[in-house]
PDB file of all heavy atoms in Angstrom:
ATOM      1  N   ILE U 780      -8.488   6.861   1.746  1.00 98.00           N
ATOM      2  CA  ILE U 780      -8.335   5.918   0.629  1.00 98.00           C
ATOM      3  C   ILE U 780      -9.268   4.752   0.892  1.00 98.00           C
ATOM      4  O   ILE U 780      -9.148   4.075   1.916  1.00 98.00           O
ATOM      5  CB  ILE U 780      -6.878   5.423   0.532  1.00 98.00           C
ATOM      6  CG1 ILE U 780      -5.920   6.603   0.333  1.00 98.00           C
ATOM      7  CG2 ILE U 780      -6.722   4.400  -0.590  1.00 98.00           C
ATOM      8  CD1 ILE U 780      -4.459   6.234   0.476  1.00 98.00           C
ATOM      9  N   HIS U 781     -10.201   4.511  -0.013  1.00 98.00           N
ATOM     10  CA  HIS U 781     -11.144   3.415   0.225  1.00 98.00           C
ATOM     11  C   HIS U 781     -11.733   2.907  -1.084  1.00 98.00           C
ATOM     12  O   HIS U 781     -11.628   3.547  -2.135  1.00 98.00           O
ATOM     13  CB  HIS U 781     -12.257   3.854   1.181  1.00 98.00           C
ATOM     14  CG  HIS U 781     -13.123   4.977   0.680  1.00 98.00           C
ATOM     15  ND1 HIS U 781     -14.332   4.767   0.065  1.00 98.00           N
ATOM     16  CD2 HIS U 781     -12.951   6.317   0.723  1.00 98.00           C
ATOM     17  CE1 HIS U 781     -14.879   5.929  -0.257  1.00 98.00           C
ATOM     18  NE2 HIS U 781     -14.055   6.897   0.132  1.00 98.00           N
ATOM     19  N   ASP U 782     -12.324   1.717  -0.975  1.00 98.00           N
ATOM     20  CA  ASP U 782     -12.966   1.047  -2.098  1.00 98.00           C
ATOM     21  C   ASP U 782     -11.952   0.690  -3.186  1.00 98.00           C
ATOM     22  O   ASP U 782     -12.042   1.124  -4.331  1.00 98.00           O
ATOM     23  CB  ASP U 782     -14.102   1.899  -2.670  1.00 98.00           C
ATOM     24  CG  ASP U 782     -15.026   1.094  -3.598  1.00 98.00           C
ATOM     25  OD1 ASP U 782     -14.752  -0.113  -3.807  1.00 98.00           O
ATOM     26  OD2 ASP U 782     -16.019   1.672  -4.101  1.00 98.00           O
ATOM     27  N   PHE U 783     -10.976  -0.131  -2.781  1.00 98.00           N
ATOM     28  CA  PHE U 783     -10.006  -0.721  -3.702  1.00 98.00           C
ATOM     29  C   PHE U 783     -10.032  -2.233  -3.524  1.00 98.00           C
ATOM     30  O   PHE U 783     -10.405  -2.741  -2.458  1.00 98.00           O
ATOM     31  CB  PHE U 783      -8.591  -0.193  -3.432  1.00 98.00           C
ATOM     32  CG  PHE U 783      -8.303   1.139  -4.076  1.00 98.00           C
ATOM     33  CD1 PHE U 783      -8.724   2.322  -3.473  1.00 98.00           C
ATOM     34  CD2 PHE U 783      -7.628   1.222  -5.279  1.00 98.00           C
ATOM     35  CE1 PHE U 783      -8.483   3.542  -4.060  1.00 98.00           C
ATOM     36  CE2 PHE U 783      -7.372   2.438  -5.882  1.00 98.00           C
ATOM     37  CZ  PHE U 783      -7.805   3.613  -5.269  1.00 98.00           C
ATOM     38  N   PHE U 784      -9.595  -2.953  -4.547  1.00 98.00           N
ATOM     39  CA  PHE U 784      -9.596  -4.412  -4.498  1.00 98.00           C
ATOM     40  C   PHE U 784      -8.234  -4.989  -4.141  1.00 98.00           C
ATOM     41  O   PHE U 784      -8.076  -6.198  -4.024  1.00 98.00           O
ATOM     42  CB  PHE U 784     -10.058  -4.975  -5.840  1.00 98.00           C
ATOM     43  CG  PHE U 784     -11.441  -4.513  -6.220  1.00 98.00           C
ATOM     44  CD1 PHE U 784     -11.627  -3.594  -7.238  1.00 98.00           C
ATOM     45  CD2 PHE U 784     -12.553  -4.966  -5.525  1.00 98.00           C
ATOM     46  CE1 PHE U 784     -12.894  -3.162  -7.580  1.00 98.00           C
ATOM     47  CE2 PHE U 784     -13.821  -4.538  -5.852  1.00 98.00           C
ATOM     48  CZ  PHE U 784     -14.001  -3.625  -6.886  1.00 98.00           C
ATOM     49  N   TYR U 785      -7.245  -4.111  -4.003  1.00 98.00           N
ATOM     50  CA  TYR U 785      -5.914  -4.557  -3.602  1.00 98.00           C
ATOM     51  C   TYR U 785      -5.438  -3.639  -2.472  1.00 98.00           C
ATOM     52  O   TYR U 785      -6.230  -3.250  -1.623  1.00 98.00           O
ATOM     53  CB  TYR U 785      -4.983  -4.579  -4.816  1.00 98.00           C
ATOM     54  CG  TYR U 785      -3.674  -5.295  -4.597  1.00 98.00           C
ATOM     55  CD1 TYR U 785      -3.644  -6.596  -4.101  1.00 98.00           C
ATOM     56  CD2 TYR U 785      -2.471  -4.666  -4.872  1.00 98.00           C
ATOM     57  CE1 TYR U 785      -2.443  -7.244  -3.880  1.00 98.00           C
ATOM     58  CE2 TYR U 785      -1.262  -5.313  -4.667  1.00 98.00           C
ATOM     59  CZ  TYR U 785      -1.249  -6.595  -4.163  1.00 98.00           C
ATOM     60  OH  TYR U 785      -0.057  -7.243  -3.955  1.00 98.00           O
ATOM     61  N   THR U 786      -4.194  -3.263  -2.452  1.00 98.00           N
ATOM     62  CA  THR U 786      -3.600  -2.555  -1.327  1.00 98.00           C
ATOM     63  C   THR U 786      -3.937  -1.059  -1.333  1.00 98.00           C
ATOM     64  O   THR U 786      -4.036  -0.438  -2.395  1.00 98.00           O
ATOM     65  CB  THR U 786      -2.077  -2.773  -1.367  1.00 98.00           C
ATOM     66  OG1 THR U 786      -1.812  -4.135  -1.008  1.00 98.00           O
ATOM     67  CG2 THR U 786      -1.332  -1.854  -0.463  1.00 98.00           C
ATOM     68  N   GLY U 787      -4.060  -0.488  -0.116  1.00 98.00           N
ATOM     69  CA  GLY U 787      -4.340   0.940  -0.009  1.00 98.00           C
ATOM     70  C   GLY U 787      -3.122   1.797  -0.305  1.00 98.00           C
ATOM     71  O   GLY U 787      -3.155   2.686  -1.169  1.00 98.00           O
ATOM     72  N   ILE U 788      -2.023   1.561   0.420  1.00 99.00           N
ATOM     73  CA  ILE U 788      -0.763   2.283   0.240  1.00 99.00           C
ATOM     74  C   ILE U 788       0.351   1.257   0.116  1.00 99.00           C
ATOM     75  O   ILE U 788       0.422   0.309   0.904  1.00 99.00           O
ATOM     76  CB  ILE U 788      -0.469   3.229   1.419  1.00 99.00           C
ATOM     77  CG1 ILE U 788      -1.590   4.275   1.573  1.00 99.00           C
ATOM     78  CG2 ILE U 788       0.871   3.926   1.240  1.00 99.00           C
ATOM     79  CD1 ILE U 788      -1.472   5.107   2.845  1.00 99.00           C
ATOM     80  N   SER U 789       1.241   1.426  -0.857  1.00 98.00           N
ATOM     81  CA  SER U 789       2.362   0.513  -1.054  1.00 98.00           C
ATOM     82  C   SER U 789       3.648   1.325  -1.126  1.00 98.00           C
ATOM     83  O   SER U 789       3.720   2.312  -1.858  1.00 98.00           O
ATOM     84  CB  SER U 789       2.170  -0.294  -2.349  1.00 98.00           C
ATOM     85  OG  SER U 789       3.239  -1.203  -2.542  1.00 98.00           O
ATOM     86  N   VAL U 790       4.669   0.909  -0.354  1.00 98.00           N
ATOM     87  CA  VAL U 790       5.930   1.649  -0.296  1.00 98.00           C
ATOM     88  C   VAL U 790       7.098   0.685  -0.514  1.00 98.00           C
ATOM     89  O   VAL U 790       7.261  -0.278   0.232  1.00 98.00           O
ATOM     90  CB  VAL U 790       6.095   2.367   1.059  1.00 98.00           C
ATOM     91  CG1 VAL U 790       7.354   3.241   1.036  1.00 98.00           C
ATOM     92  CG2 VAL U 790       4.871   3.209   1.395  1.00 98.00           C
ATOM     93  N   GLY U 791       7.920   0.972  -1.540  1.00 98.00           N
ATOM     94  CA  GLY U 791       9.111   0.175  -1.791  1.00 98.00           C
ATOM     95  C   GLY U 791       8.971  -0.745  -2.991  1.00 98.00           C
ATOM     96  O   GLY U 791       7.870  -1.172  -3.337  1.00 98.00           O
ATOM     97  N   TRP U 792      10.129  -1.068  -3.631  1.00 98.00           N
ATOM     98  CA  TRP U 792      10.103  -1.943  -4.790  1.00 98.00           C
ATOM     99  C   TRP U 792      11.380  -2.778  -4.890  1.00 98.00           C
ATOM    100  O   TRP U 792      11.882  -3.070  -5.960  1.00 98.00           O
ATOM    101  CB  TRP U 792       9.873  -1.121  -6.071  1.00 98.00           C
ATOM    102  CG  TRP U 792       9.382  -1.949  -7.213  1.00 98.00           C
ATOM    103  CD1 TRP U 792      10.094  -2.365  -8.308  1.00 98.00           C
ATOM    104  CD2 TRP U 792       8.059  -2.485  -7.378  1.00 98.00           C
ATOM    105  NE1 TRP U 792       9.311  -3.127  -9.141  1.00 98.00           N
ATOM    106  CE2 TRP U 792       8.047  -3.218  -8.602  1.00 98.00           C
ATOM    107  CE3 TRP U 792       6.897  -2.431  -6.625  1.00 98.00           C
ATOM    108  CZ2 TRP U 792       6.914  -3.876  -9.066  1.00 98.00           C
ATOM    109  CZ3 TRP U 792       5.772  -3.078  -7.098  1.00 98.00           C
ATOM    110  CH2 TRP U 792       5.780  -3.782  -8.293  1.00 98.00           C
ATOM    111  N   THR U 793      11.916  -3.170  -3.729  1.00 98.00           N
ATOM    112  CA  THR U 793      13.070  -4.070  -3.703  1.00 98.00           C
ATOM    113  C   THR U 793      12.706  -5.291  -2.874  1.00 98.00           C
ATOM    114  O   THR U 793      12.446  -5.172  -1.672  1.00 98.00           O
ATOM    115  CB  THR U 793      14.308  -3.386  -3.091  1.00 98.00           C
ATOM    116  OG1 THR U 793      14.685  -2.281  -3.917  1.00 98.00           O
ATOM    117  CG2 THR U 793      15.471  -4.361  -2.999  1.00 98.00           C
ATOM    118  N   TRP U 794      12.676  -6.464  -3.494  1.00 97.00           N
ATOM    119  CA  TRP U 794      12.418  -7.711  -2.776  1.00 97.00           C
ATOM    120  C   TRP U 794      13.732  -8.195  -2.167  1.00 97.00           C
ATOM    121  O   TRP U 794      14.718  -8.395  -2.884  1.00 97.00           O
ATOM    122  CB  TRP U 794      11.854  -8.766  -3.711  1.00 97.00           C
ATOM    123  CG  TRP U 794      10.377  -8.652  -3.941  1.00 97.00           C
ATOM    124  CD1 TRP U 794       9.392  -9.398  -3.353  1.00 97.00           C
ATOM    125  CD2 TRP U 794       9.705  -7.740  -4.816  1.00 97.00           C
ATOM    126  NE1 TRP U 794       8.158  -8.990  -3.805  1.00 97.00           N
ATOM    127  CE2 TRP U 794       8.310  -7.980  -4.702  1.00 97.00           C
ATOM    128  CE3 TRP U 794      10.135  -6.718  -5.667  1.00 97.00           C
ATOM    129  CZ2 TRP U 794       7.357  -7.270  -5.410  1.00 97.00           C
ATOM    130  CZ3 TRP U 794       9.190  -5.998  -6.380  1.00 97.00           C
ATOM    131  CH2 TRP U 794       7.820  -6.272  -6.246  1.00 97.00           C
ATOM    132  N   GLY U 795      13.759  -8.350  -0.847  1.00 97.00           N
ATOM    133  CA  GLY U 795      14.966  -8.829  -0.200  1.00 97.00           C
ATOM    134  C   GLY U 795      15.826  -7.680   0.310  1.00 97.00           C
ATOM    135  O   GLY U 795      15.367  -6.549   0.492  1.00 97.00           O
ATOM    136  N   TYR U 796      17.106  -7.985   0.532  1.00 97.00           N
ATOM    137  CA  TYR U 796      17.994  -7.057   1.225  1.00 97.00           C
ATOM    138  C   TYR U 796      18.928  -6.293   0.294  1.00 97.00           C
ATOM    139  O   TYR U 796      19.946  -5.759   0.737  1.00 97.00           O
ATOM    140  CB  TYR U 796      18.797  -7.816   2.278  1.00 97.00           C
ATOM    141  CG  TYR U 796      17.926  -8.432   3.356  1.00 97.00           C
ATOM    142  CD1 TYR U 796      17.838  -9.822   3.502  1.00 97.00           C
ATOM    143  CD2 TYR U 796      17.180  -7.631   4.210  1.00 97.00           C
ATOM    144  CE1 TYR U 796      17.038 -10.382   4.487  1.00 97.00           C
ATOM    145  CE2 TYR U 796      16.379  -8.185   5.190  1.00 97.00           C
ATOM    146  CZ  TYR U 796      16.311  -9.561   5.327  1.00 97.00           C
ATOM    147  OH  TYR U 796      15.509 -10.103   6.299  1.00 97.00           O
ATOM    148  N   GLY U 797      18.595  -6.208  -0.974  1.00 97.00           N
ATOM    149  CA  GLY U 797      19.403  -5.433  -1.902  1.00 97.00           C
ATOM    150  C   GLY U 797      19.165  -3.938  -1.752  1.00 97.00           C
ATOM    151  O   GLY U 797      18.427  -3.476  -0.884  1.00 97.00           O
ATOM    152  N   GLU U 798      19.782  -3.180  -2.625  1.00 97.00           N
ATOM    153  CA  GLU U 798      19.639  -1.724  -2.566  1.00 97.00           C
ATOM    154  C   GLU U 798      18.184  -1.313  -2.757  1.00 97.00           C
ATOM    155  O   GLU U 798      17.482  -1.829  -3.623  1.00 97.00           O
ATOM    156  CB  GLU U 798      20.497  -1.059  -3.650  1.00 97.00           C
ATOM    157  CG  GLU U 798      20.443   0.461  -3.616  1.00 97.00           C
ATOM    158  CD  GLU U 798      21.230   1.114  -4.735  1.00 97.00           C
ATOM    159  OE1 GLU U 798      21.688   0.386  -5.634  1.00 97.00           O
ATOM    160  OE2 GLU U 798      21.373   2.359  -4.718  1.00 97.00           O
ATOM    161  N   GLY U 799      17.746  -0.368  -1.971  1.00 97.00           N
ATOM    162  CA  GLY U 799      16.400   0.179  -2.095  1.00 97.00           C
ATOM    163  C   GLY U 799      16.415   1.648  -1.756  1.00 97.00           C
ATOM    164  O   GLY U 799      17.148   2.086  -0.865  1.00 97.00           O
ATOM    165  N   LEU U 800      15.594   2.443  -2.434  1.00 98.00           N
ATOM    166  CA  LEU U 800      15.608   3.895  -2.247  1.00 98.00           C
ATOM    167  C   LEU U 800      14.409   4.418  -1.475  1.00 98.00           C
ATOM    168  O   LEU U 800      14.302   5.623  -1.249  1.00 98.00           O
ATOM    169  CB  LEU U 800      15.669   4.605  -3.610  1.00 98.00           C
ATOM    170  CG  LEU U 800      16.870   4.303  -4.500  1.00 98.00           C
ATOM    171  CD1 LEU U 800      16.833   5.194  -5.737  1.00 98.00           C
ATOM    172  CD2 LEU U 800      18.178   4.492  -3.750  1.00 98.00           C
ATOM    173  N   ALA U 801      13.501   3.548  -1.061  1.00 98.00           N
ATOM    174  CA  ALA U 801      12.267   4.027  -0.415  1.00 98.00           C
ATOM    175  C   ALA U 801      12.501   4.279   1.078  1.00 98.00           C
ATOM    176  O   ALA U 801      11.818   3.727   1.937  1.00 98.00           O
ATOM    177  CB  ALA U 801      11.140   3.034  -0.632  1.00 98.00           C
ATOM    178  N   THR U 802      13.447   5.143   1.378  1.00 98.00           N
ATOM    179  CA  THR U 802      13.814   5.434   2.755  1.00 98.00           C
ATOM    180  C   THR U 802      13.234   6.787   3.177  1.00 98.00           C
ATOM    181  O   THR U 802      12.967   7.656   2.353  1.00 98.00           O
ATOM    182  CB  THR U 802      15.340   5.466   2.915  1.00 98.00           C
ATOM    183  OG1 THR U 802      15.872   6.439   2.006  1.00 98.00           O
ATOM    184  CG2 THR U 802      15.947   4.106   2.600  1.00 98.00           C
ATOM    185  N   GLY U 803      13.039   6.951   4.469  1.00 98.00           N
ATOM    186  CA  GLY U 803      12.643   8.249   4.997  1.00 98.00           C
ATOM    187  C   GLY U 803      11.295   8.755   4.546  1.00 98.00           C
ATOM    188  O   GLY U 803      11.063   9.968   4.518  1.00 98.00           O
ATOM    189  N   ASN U 804      10.378   7.861   4.210  1.00 98.00           N
ATOM    190  CA  ASN U 804       9.022   8.281   3.851  1.00 98.00           C
ATOM    191  C   ASN U 804       8.158   8.392   5.101  1.00 98.00           C
ATOM    192  O   ASN U 804       8.316   7.612   6.043  1.00 98.00           O
ATOM    193  CB  ASN U 804       8.393   7.296   2.869  1.00 98.00           C
ATOM    194  CG  ASN U 804       9.057   7.351   1.508  1.00 98.00           C
ATOM    195  OD1 ASN U 804       8.948   8.326   0.788  1.00 98.00           O
ATOM    196  ND2 ASN U 804       9.775   6.282   1.148  1.00 98.00           N
ATOM    197  N   LEU U 805       7.232   9.335   5.102  1.00 98.00           N
ATOM    198  CA  LEU U 805       6.309   9.507   6.221  1.00 98.00           C
ATOM    199  C   LEU U 805       4.898   9.195   5.749  1.00 98.00           C
ATOM    200  O   LEU U 805       4.394   9.819   4.808  1.00 98.00           O
ATOM    201  CB  LEU U 805       6.356  10.936   6.754  1.00 98.00           C
ATOM    202  CG  LEU U 805       5.327  11.262   7.862  1.00 98.00           C
ATOM    203  CD1 LEU U 805       5.589  10.428   9.102  1.00 98.00           C
ATOM    204  CD2 LEU U 805       5.338  12.751   8.186  1.00 98.00           C
ATOM    205  N   ILE U 806       4.252   8.242   6.423  1.00 98.00           N
ATOM    206  CA  ILE U 806       2.869   7.857   6.149  1.00 98.00           C
ATOM    207  C   ILE U 806       2.081   8.162   7.412  1.00 98.00           C
ATOM    208  O   ILE U 806       2.186   7.433   8.397  1.00 98.00           O
ATOM    209  CB  ILE U 806       2.760   6.358   5.787  1.00 98.00           C
ATOM    210  CG1 ILE U 806       3.848   5.936   4.780  1.00 98.00           C
ATOM    211  CG2 ILE U 806       1.364   6.037   5.286  1.00 98.00           C
ATOM    212  CD1 ILE U 806       3.774   6.602   3.440  1.00 98.00           C
ATOM    213  N   ALA U 807       1.301   9.233   7.423  1.00 98.00           N
ATOM    214  CA  ALA U 807       0.704   9.692   8.674  1.00 98.00           C
ATOM    215  C   ALA U 807      -0.716  10.205   8.492  1.00 98.00           C
ATOM    216  O   ALA U 807      -1.041  10.826   7.471  1.00 98.00           O
ATOM    217  CB  ALA U 807       1.568  10.803   9.282  1.00 98.00           C
ATOM    218  N   LYS U 808      -1.556   9.918   9.478  1.00 98.00           N
ATOM    219  CA  LYS U 808      -2.904  10.485   9.570  1.00 98.00           C
ATOM    220  C   LYS U 808      -3.802  10.115   8.391  1.00 98.00           C
ATOM    221  O   LYS U 808      -4.693  10.877   8.022  1.00 98.00           O
ATOM    222  CB  LYS U 808      -2.827  12.016   9.689  1.00 98.00           C
ATOM    223  CG  LYS U 808      -2.085  12.529  10.903  1.00 98.00           C
ATOM    224  CD  LYS U 808      -2.894  12.361  12.169  1.00 98.00           C
ATOM    225  CE  LYS U 808      -2.223  12.979  13.370  1.00 98.00           C
ATOM    226  NZ  LYS U 808      -3.030  12.855  14.612  1.00 98.00           N
ATOM    227  N   ASN U 809      -3.582   8.958   7.807  1.00 98.00           N
ATOM    228  CA  ASN U 809      -4.417   8.502   6.696  1.00 98.00           C
ATOM    229  C   ASN U 809      -5.508   7.564   7.198  1.00 98.00           C
ATOM    230  O   ASN U 809      -5.314   6.817   8.160  1.00 98.00           O
ATOM    231  CB  ASN U 809      -3.556   7.786   5.649  1.00 98.00           C
ATOM    232  CG  ASN U 809      -2.474   8.693   5.095  1.00 98.00           C
ATOM    233  OD1 ASN U 809      -2.753   9.604   4.318  1.00 98.00           O
ATOM    234  ND2 ASN U 809      -1.240   8.464   5.514  1.00 98.00           N
ATOM    235  N   HIS U 810      -6.643   7.585   6.517  1.00 98.00           N
ATOM    236  CA  HIS U 810      -7.758   6.687   6.817  1.00 98.00           C
ATOM    237  C   HIS U 810      -7.935   5.767   5.615  1.00 98.00           C
ATOM    238  O   HIS U 810      -8.322   6.208   4.528  1.00 98.00           O
ATOM    239  CB  HIS U 810      -9.034   7.503   7.060  1.00 98.00           C
ATOM    240  CG  HIS U 810     -10.172   6.684   7.572  1.00 98.00           C
ATOM    241  ND1 HIS U 810     -11.460   7.158   7.653  1.00 98.00           N
ATOM    242  CD2 HIS U 810     -10.225   5.391   8.044  1.00 98.00           C
ATOM    243  CE1 HIS U 810     -12.260   6.214   8.147  1.00 98.00           C
ATOM    244  NE2 HIS U 810     -11.526   5.139   8.382  1.00 98.00           N
ATOM    245  N   VAL U 811      -7.595   4.494   5.808  1.00 98.00           N
ATOM    246  CA  VAL U 811      -7.578   3.524   4.709  1.00 98.00           C
ATOM    247  C   VAL U 811      -8.526   2.383   5.069  1.00 98.00           C
ATOM    248  O   VAL U 811      -8.325   1.702   6.081  1.00 98.00           O
ATOM    249  CB  VAL U 811      -6.147   2.986   4.483  1.00 98.00           C
ATOM    250  CG1 VAL U 811      -6.130   2.002   3.320  1.00 98.00           C
ATOM    251  CG2 VAL U 811      -5.171   4.138   4.229  1.00 98.00           C
ATOM    252  N   TYR U 812      -9.532   2.155   4.247  1.00 98.00           N
ATOM    253  CA  TYR U 812     -10.543   1.153   4.592  1.00 98.00           C
ATOM    254  C   TYR U 812     -11.236   0.630   3.336  1.00 98.00           C
ATOM    255  O   TYR U 812     -11.053   1.149   2.244  1.00 98.00           O
ATOM    256  CB  TYR U 812     -11.566   1.733   5.564  1.00 98.00           C
ATOM    257  CG  TYR U 812     -12.353   2.921   5.043  1.00 98.00           C
ATOM    258  CD1 TYR U 812     -13.648   2.765   4.558  1.00 98.00           C
ATOM    259  CD2 TYR U 812     -11.807   4.200   5.046  1.00 98.00           C
ATOM    260  CE1 TYR U 812     -14.386   3.843   4.078  1.00 98.00           C
ATOM    261  CE2 TYR U 812     -12.527   5.288   4.571  1.00 98.00           C
ATOM    262  CZ  TYR U 812     -13.808   5.111   4.095  1.00 98.00           C
ATOM    263  OH  TYR U 812     -14.523   6.183   3.625  1.00 98.00           O
ATOM    264  N   GLN U 813     -12.017  -0.431   3.531  1.00 98.00           N
ATOM    265  CA  GLN U 813     -12.711  -1.120   2.438  1.00 98.00           C
ATOM    266  C   GLN U 813     -11.708  -1.507   1.354  1.00 98.00           C
ATOM    267  O   GLN U 813     -11.811  -1.139   0.195  1.00 98.00           O
ATOM    268  CB  GLN U 813     -13.816  -0.230   1.842  1.00 98.00           C
ATOM    269  CG  GLN U 813     -14.849  -0.994   1.013  1.00 98.00           C
ATOM    270  CD  GLN U 813     -15.916  -0.082   0.418  1.00 98.00           C
ATOM    271  OE1 GLN U 813     -15.965   1.112   0.708  1.00 98.00           O
ATOM    272  NE2 GLN U 813     -16.757  -0.646  -0.414  1.00 98.00           N
ATOM    273  N   ILE U 814     -10.714  -2.286   1.780  1.00 98.00           N
ATOM    274  CA  ILE U 814      -9.592  -2.691   0.935  1.00 98.00           C
ATOM    275  C   ILE U 814      -9.682  -4.198   0.682  1.00 98.00           C
ATOM    276  O   ILE U 814      -9.977  -4.977   1.577  1.00 98.00           O
ATOM    277  CB  ILE U 814      -8.255  -2.342   1.620  1.00 98.00           C
ATOM    278  CG1 ILE U 814      -8.141  -0.829   1.852  1.00 98.00           C
ATOM    279  CG2 ILE U 814      -7.077  -2.867   0.821  1.00 98.00           C
ATOM    280  CD1 ILE U 814      -8.166   0.006   0.606  1.00 98.00           C
ATOM    281  N   GLY U 815      -9.385  -4.607  -0.540  1.00 98.00           N
ATOM    282  CA  GLY U 815      -9.401  -6.026  -0.899  1.00 98.00           C
ATOM    283  C   GLY U 815     -10.770  -6.533  -1.274  1.00 98.00           C
ATOM    284  O   GLY U 815     -10.962  -7.119  -2.329  1.00 98.00           O
ATOM    285  N   GLN U 816     -11.709  -6.382  -0.369  1.00 98.00           N
ATOM    286  CA  GLN U 816     -13.104  -6.741  -0.600  1.00 98.00           C
ATOM    287  C   GLN U 816     -13.285  -8.190  -1.049  1.00 98.00           C
ATOM    288  O   GLN U 816     -14.220  -8.538  -1.775  1.00 98.00           O
ATOM    289  CB  GLN U 816     -13.740  -5.775  -1.604  1.00 98.00           C
ATOM    290  CG  GLN U 816     -13.657  -4.316  -1.152  1.00 98.00           C
ATOM    291  CD  GLN U 816     -14.342  -3.356  -2.073  1.00 98.00           C
ATOM    292  OE1 GLN U 816     -15.549  -3.442  -2.288  1.00 98.00           O
ATOM    293  NE2 GLN U 816     -13.575  -2.421  -2.631  1.00 98.00           N
ATOM    294  N   GLY U 817     -12.334  -9.058  -0.626  1.00 98.00           N
ATOM    295  CA  GLY U 817     -12.454 -10.481  -0.896  1.00 98.00           C
ATOM    296  C   GLY U 817     -12.109 -10.906  -2.304  1.00 98.00           C
ATOM    297  O   GLY U 817     -12.287 -12.072  -2.656  1.00 98.00           O
ATOM    298  N   LEU U 818     -11.567  -9.994  -3.113  1.00 98.00           N
ATOM    299  CA  LEU U 818     -11.302 -10.329  -4.516  1.00 98.00           C
ATOM    300  C   LEU U 818      -9.899 -10.875  -4.740  1.00 98.00           C
ATOM    301  O   LEU U 818      -9.708 -11.846  -5.467  1.00 98.00           O
ATOM    302  CB  LEU U 818     -11.528  -9.098  -5.391  1.00 98.00           C
ATOM    303  CG  LEU U 818     -11.445  -9.347  -6.891  1.00 98.00           C
ATOM    304  CD1 LEU U 818     -12.604 -10.223  -7.355  1.00 98.00           C
ATOM    305  CD2 LEU U 818     -11.453  -8.026  -7.660  1.00 98.00           C
ATOM    306  N   LEU U 819      -8.874 -10.241  -4.126  1.00 98.00           N
ATOM    307  CA  LEU U 819      -7.482 -10.634  -4.334  1.00 98.00           C
ATOM    308  C   LEU U 819      -6.841 -11.048  -3.010  1.00 98.00           C
ATOM    309  O   LEU U 819      -7.356 -10.743  -1.938  1.00 98.00           O
ATOM    310  CB  LEU U 819      -6.693  -9.484  -4.965  1.00 98.00           C
ATOM    311  CG  LEU U 819      -7.160  -9.037  -6.353  1.00 98.00           C
ATOM    312  CD1 LEU U 819      -6.368  -7.830  -6.820  1.00 98.00           C
ATOM    313  CD2 LEU U 819      -7.028 -10.179  -7.355  1.00 98.00           C
ATOM    314  N   SER U 820      -5.683 -11.700  -3.115  1.00 98.00           N
ATOM    315  CA  SER U 820      -4.946 -12.158  -1.936  1.00 98.00           C
ATOM    316  C   SER U 820      -3.622 -11.416  -1.806  1.00 98.00           C
ATOM    317  O   SER U 820      -3.195 -10.704  -2.720  1.00 98.00           O
ATOM    318  CB  SER U 820      -4.679 -13.662  -2.044  1.00 98.00           C
ATOM    319  OG  SER U 820      -5.889 -14.383  -2.082  1.00 98.00           O
TER     320      SER U 820
END
């Protein structure tokens, strides 16, 4: 995954300690680079 102006991989959609379903995901052996490129924070 490369050449993006924001995040490469994003997991989860619950801010804080409330209920969330993004459990038990495996993120492995990925090559993520050239991310953000100075455009976003």
